[in-house]
Amino acid sequence: MVAADDALFPDSVKDFVFDLHDAARRSFIPSEQQSLYQSSFREITAKYFPNTEWPSPAAISSECDNDPLFLALYHELTLRHLQSVKRPTVRDRIEGWHAYRQLFDLILAEAPSTEADANPRETLYLIPEWCFDILHEFLYQFQGFCQFRTTTYAAAAKVADDPDKSPASHTADALDVLGQHRDVWAVETVLYYLHRLVAVGTQSKNASATYRFLAYFSSVTLSRLECLLGDYRASIAALDVIYDPNAELIAVGEDMKSPEELVNGVFPARLSLTYHAGVSYLMLRRYKDSASILGGICLFMQRGFKTGQLRKIPGSEQFNKLFDRMVALLAILSHICSVAVVDDNIANIVREKHGNNLSKIESGEEGYEDLFVFACPKFVNPAVPDYAQALKPGCAGVPYGQDAYKLQVQHFMNEMAAHATLRKMRSYMSLYTSIEVEKLASFNDMKKEDFEAWLTCFKHKMRQLERGTVSTNSTKGVVKGVDSDQDRVGTAMDIHYYVAGNVVHVDEAEKTRRFETFFMKQIQNNDDILRQLEKVKIEL
């Protein structure tokens, strides 16, 4: 990166660095740090560094007593800004990796010991928003590097078979640099730092508030990483520490909060947790859980958009995109799991946005793939390819095992292919209380021998774990991870059937009439009418 003229920067920058260092390392005043981090930094950036980098850490070191940990925090903060306003090169990505390694090494070096200490000394305070932003950007850069690595390889392999062409100079340079730094953004190192931060903040009784913030936001980040890698059980299990009923409350400013309340208090963290957990539940065939968690956050966001509350949160420009993705996931879920309960307002949005796709699916056309491709995260494969092979004729356009995105889409489509047959079976069974197996098989254009296996398959596909509820220190019911003792086996079918004597007996599941939904909707409509009447000017 081209360094700015470090000798020439305004006094307001020096004052900002001094005050931020004081808030993080001495005074530990949350309100002061929040104002500096969320307001002052953005104002100074917009005024002096809108498209350029901030002064280097060496240039401002005198304003923070040459504090190595604070300089690492400052370096990460300013690098994050620079990579948001310019397209990072391969060397920028490598610099980012070393910056995060240095920061996490220093944070872990100052971590409290696991031995009992009556008066542990607090040496660092970061507000929850800052902690999450560090970890969120850390994984974002890892994901970006994995994608950059694959696209660079593919660009070089594309011209390898043509003797009259050679890779572009920037592609050849990137391949050379990547080959020399094969251990950069290694997934095992990324996992190590996230697991260590979780352990330090949750297993040590001496952990300060900052280390506990980092621990719980690391578990959110770890859940996201496992989802991107396609390990969906690990993605859900990573969240167990947040829903631990025995977890102690955490001091957040003047309030005491449970880990769940801490995460929910930082909306981007709550959104990341919910979205990736929803995707993981979907891929694990836990359709009711996925619909429940996604439907809840979508309803909250819809109300937040109406009131304008969400637009005040930094990074709100991304919220609409994630909302649309989650609505697309709910469109899939509402179609394959008829018992999934979603609020009427969200159900209406699903129909408005994706009614055409769902109609195509009903008529036997393809529709699931378009919805899933739009809604799913950008999966990555962390395996490092052999960069030398990219320049050899006959090499594959994509290195072996690197096309993780298409692999996950294909896995999802294989699952949905079975649901097409199951949906047809259900439509016929719902018309009868009893029907011969042979007759039902003929309706589905199958032989009796083949159809009997599908009857068992339907039961199996819709049999799933469901989240259990436990009480916590916050006296609220919460959900636990996939291996929790509170999870129970249930079914996502709205009909019950069994086979006896070559006859399929069908009972429709008992439907619970939800009167409260009707009354709440009418109350809301009445409030809307009253507000409109108050605006009407009546002249006598």
Side-chain angles (χ1 to χ4, degrees):
M1 295 181 181
V2 179
D5 188 352
D6 296 336
L8 300 175
F9 53 87
D11 290 340
S12 57
V13 174
K14 297 178 183 179
D15 294 340
F16 168 78
V17 172
F18 179 87
D19 293 341
L20 189 62
H21 173 253
D22 182 73
R25 300 290 271 173
R26 295 194 192 101
S27 66
F28 306 144
I29 302 175
S31 58
E32 179 183 337
Q33 188 179 124
Q34 189 150 9
S35 175
L36 289 165
Y37 178 75
Q38 296 190 326
S39 300
S40 300
F41 179 73
R42 288 181 172 81
E43 291 169 3
I44 295 172
T45 297
K47 187 174 183 180
Y48 298 109
F49 314 106
N51 298 304
T52 58
E53 63 178 320
W54 275 61
S56 67
I60 56 89
S61 59
S62 60
E63 303 298 327
C64 60
D65 300 330
N66 211 14
D67 181 347
L69 177 52
F70 179 79
L71 288 175
L73 287 165
Y74 171 85
H75 191 200
E76 188 278 334
L77 178 62
T78 54
L79 272 180
R80 194 195 319 159
H81 154 68
L82 186 60
Q83 294 210 10
S84 70
V85 297
K86 61 167 283 189
R87 187 174 183 176
T89 65
V90 63
R91 290 176 176 81
D92 294 337
R93 297 177 189 275
I94 292 172
E95 182 184 355
W97 169 244
H98 293 306
Y100 278 107
R101 288 205 65 177
Q102 180 187 29
L103 173 59
F104 291 143
D105 285 340
L106 289 169
I107 288 175
L108 291 171
E110 288 197 13
S113 65
T114 55
E115 297 177 3
D117 187 348
N119 297 300
R121 180 171 169 266
E122 187 170 1
T123 60
L124 174 67
Y125 183 82
L126 303 177
I127 57 174
E129 291 81 1
W130 193 354
C131 292
F132 176 72
D133 287 346
I134 290 172
L135 292 158
H136 184 74
E137 181 69 15
F138 174 58
L139 195 63
Y140 177 78
Q141 291 196 24
F142 165 77
Q143 183 181 8
F145 183 84
C146 290
Q147 293 168 344
F148 172 80
R149 182 169 55 194
T150 303
T151 54
T152 301
Y153 184 102
K158 191 174 181 180
V159 298
D161 289 332
D162 192 339
D164 298 328
K165 292 183 180 180
S166 59
S169 58
H170 66 86
T171 301
D173 178 60
L175 276 178
D176 182 56
V177 174
L178 288 171
Q180 296 174 24
H181 298 84
R182 294 180 61 84
D183 60 339
V184 167
W185 290 107
V187 67
E188 59 270 20
T189 311
V190 173
L191 286 166
Y192 164 77
Y193 282 124
L194 293 176
H195 281 290
R196 280 288 295 137
L197 288 168
V198 171
V200 165
T202 58
Q203 296 177 8
S204 172
K205 294 183 178 180
N206 299 327
S208 65
T210 299
Y211 282 91
R212 297 194 68 191
F213 297 163
L214 289 168
Y216 293 117
F217 291 127
S218 291
S219 70
V220 174
T221 308
L222 184 61
S223 175
R224 175 186 168 195
L225 174 58
E226 297 289 9
C227 180
L228 295 177
L229 297 177
D231 191 346
Y232 304 111
R233 288 184 64 83
S235 176
I236 299 300
L239 302 174
D240 272 347
V241 294
I242 295 175
Y243 302 117
D244 182 2
N246 300 315
E248 297 180 359
L249 298 180
I250 313 163
V252 183
E254 297 179 355
D255 301 324
M256 298 299 292
K257 296 184 177 182
S258 68
E260 182 189 10
E261 291 169 333
L262 168 69
V263 173
N264 288 344
V266 180
F267 185 73
R270 178 184 177 185
L271 189 57
S272 175
L273 182 156
T274 305
Y275 171 66
H276 292 97
V279 172
S280 297
Y281 279 132
L282 170 62
M283 300 299 278
L284 289 171
R285 298 206 313 262
R286 296 179 62 167
Y287 305 126
K288 291 168 72 174
D289 290 342
S290 183
S292 173
I293 194 171
L294 291 173
I297 194 74
C298 284
L299 182 61
F300 177 86
M301 292 179 73
Q302 187 210 24
R303 292 170 179 167
F305 290 142
K306 282 185 176 180
T307 61
Q309 178 184 0
L310 292 182
R311 304 191 192 285
K312 301 175 184 178
I313 302 174
S316 59
E317 61 276 1
Q318 298 296 322
F319 295 166
N320 281 318
K321 295 179 182 178
L322 268 179
F323 178 79
D324 289 341
R325 287 183 181 183
M326 291 188 290
V327 168
L329 290 174
L330 285 171
I332 296 172
L333 289 161
S334 64
H335 204 251
I336 62 178
C337 178
S338 55
V339 297
V341 178
V342 179
D343 185 85
D344 290 343
N345 291 328
I346 301 302
N348 290 335
I349 293 174
V350 168
R351 284 191 291 270
E352 289 172 8
K353 288 181 176 288
H354 303 291
N356 290 336
N357 270 347
L358 295 178
S359 297
K360 287 181 182 179
I361 296 171
E362 284 292 348
S363 62
E365 299 179 32
E366 291 293 334
Y368 282 130
E369 185 170 358
D370 292 341
L371 287 171
F372 187 72
V373 166
F374 170 74
C376 71
K378 304 304 182 226
F379 300 103
V380 298
N381 190 309
V384 181
D386 185 354
Y387 298 109
Q389 294 295 322
L391 301 174
K392 294 181 179 179
C395 69
V398 177
Y400 177 75
Q402 286 289 313
D403 210 349
Y405 178 74
K406 290 184 178 178
L407 181 65
Q408 295 299 323
V409 172
Q410 185 59 47
H411 170 68
F412 172 78
M413 289 308 298
N414 289 341
E415 189 67 32
M416 292 302 101
H419 276 277
T421 302
L422 300 180
R423 192 167 56 251
K424 187 177 179 181
M425 287 173 53
R426 179 197 166 279
S427 67
Y428 285 118
M429 283 194 288
S430 62
L431 300 175
Y432 294 88
T433 56
S434 61
I435 182 174
E436 293 181 355
V437 174
E438 188 173 356
K439 184 177 180 181
L440 189 56
S442 66
F443 287 161
N444 289 272
D445 302 320
M446 292 186 189
K447 295 180 179 179
K448 177 184 175 184
E449 295 76 15
D450 298 332
F451 186 72
E452 288 174 343
W454 278 100
L455 287 171
T456 306
C457 176
F458 194 8
K459 286 273 191 180
H460 169 70
K461 289 287 185 184
M462 304 306 281
R463 182 179 172 85
Q464 57 189 241
L465 283 174
E466 296 179 13
R467 298 179 300 170
T469 303
V470 295
S471 59
T472 65
N473 293 331
S474 62
T475 68
K476 292 183 179 180
V478 299
V479 296
K480 293 204 69 181
V482 73
D483 288 323
S484 168
D485 293 337
Q486 282 70 34
D487 288 345
R488 60 187 186 276
V489 176
T491 180
M493 291 193 299
D494 60 344
I495 60 173
H496 171 259
Y497 67 90
Y498 62 94
V499 180
N502 289 325
V503 176
V504 180
H505 299 272
V506 184
D507 294 321
E508 188 173 6
E510 183 179 351
K511 295 183 178 179
T512 304
R513 302 185 68 181
R514 301 178 62 200
F515 296 108
E516 73 278 5
T517 303
F518 171 80
F519 286 110
M520 291 300 295
K521 189 172 182 179
Q522 298 307 314
I523 290 170
Q524 184 178 353
N525 291 339
N526 185 56
D527 288 340
D528 292 340
I529 293 170
L530 288 174
R531 277 194 293 270
Q532 292 173 12
L533 289 174
E534 289 173 357
K535 295 178 181 179
V536 175
K537 294 182 180 180
I538 302 176
E539 296 181 0
L540 298 176

